[in-house]
């Protein structure tokens, strides 16, 4: 029940963790611009990145239609090579819009989710919530 598509499992795993940690109701995979909603009706886009010695990038996957403000918060999760959580944050749309860079040839925006993002007072560090949600046993 963790993976929901044939896409990169980091994406599905990140959505699953965020839904457990924040009590989100995940939307259908075809929903444009966000992955889940909370009880207050706020919309969340979820992005994850697994860093390895071969690829240490902090770049999250593409955000399409950023100017359309499809989400209220972006949940970013950075994983270590072994899929343990390095850090995670709930990032308000305005912070994402300020920090993301539009790339014309892909028609999407990208966000570098480096550790300094956590220093912004508008960003909420949710590392402990995401780590707690990742503690599960496989049947």
């Amino acid at each position: 029940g963790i993976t929901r598509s044939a896409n990169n499992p980091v994406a599905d795993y990140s959505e699953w963790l965020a839904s457990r940690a924040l009590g989100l109701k995940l939307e259908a995979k075809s929903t444009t611009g966000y992955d889940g909603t909370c009880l207050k009706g706020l919309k969340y886009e979820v992005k994850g990145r697994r860093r390895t010695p071969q690829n240490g990038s902090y770049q999250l996957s593409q955000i399409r239609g950023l100017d359309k403000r499809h989400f209220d918060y972006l949940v970013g999760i950075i994983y270590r090579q072994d899929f343990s959580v390095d850090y995670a944050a709930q990032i308000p749309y305005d912070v994402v819009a300020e920090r993301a860079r539009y790339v014309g040839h892909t028609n999407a925006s990208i966000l570098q989710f480096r550790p300094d993002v956590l220093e912004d007072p508008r960003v909420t560090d949710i590392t402990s919530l995401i780590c707690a949600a990742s503690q599960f046993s496989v049947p």
Side-chain angles (χ1 to χ4, degrees):
I2 295 173
T3 57
R4 305 186 314 142
S5 71
N7 296 336
N8 182 341
V10 171
D12 286 344
Y13 183 54
S14 297
E15 291 171 10
W16 181 81
L17 280 179
S19 71
R20 286 176 50 111
L22 302 174
L24 304 179
K25 176 186 174 274
L26 292 178
E27 301 298 322
K29 292 303 282 181
S30 60
T31 302
T32 301
Y34 67 100
D35 298 306
T37 55
C38 70
L39 291 175
K40 294 180 182 178
L42 299 172
K43 297 175 182 174
Y44 288 76
E45 176 73 350
V46 181
K47 302 284 185 186
R49 179 68 181 208
R50 179 176 168 250
R51 299 182 71 233
T52 67
Q54 297 77 26
N55 186 345
S57 174
Y58 290 96
Q59 181 177 308
L60 299 179
S61 62
Q62 299 173 346
I63 304 168
R64 301 225 183 261
L66 181 60
D67 60 325
K68 293 181 174 59
R69 201 177 184 117
H70 291 295
F71 60 87
D72 298 294
Y73 293 99
L74 183 143
V75 172
I77 306 171
I78 298 293
Y79 300 95
R80 296 180 188 101
Q81 182 172 343
D82 66 356
F83 277 96
S84 62
V85 175
D86 194 5
Y87 59 91
Q90 179 177 304
I91 309 167
Y93 170 86
D94 290 338
V95 174
V96 175
E98 289 169 16
R99 289 180 161 264
R101 178 175 56 88
Y102 180 74
V103 179
H105 75 276
T106 61
N107 192 30
S109 298
I110 55 169
L111 177 68
Q112 299 288 334
F113 183 33
R114 293 184 178 94
D116 69 296
V117 173
L118 296 169
E119 296 170 14
D120 188 310
R122 299 169 292 176
V123 171
T124 303
D125 185 330
I126 59 169
T127 305
S128 61
L129 292 173
I130 296 294
C131 285
S134 72
Q135 303 303 313
F136 69 96
S137 57
V138 178

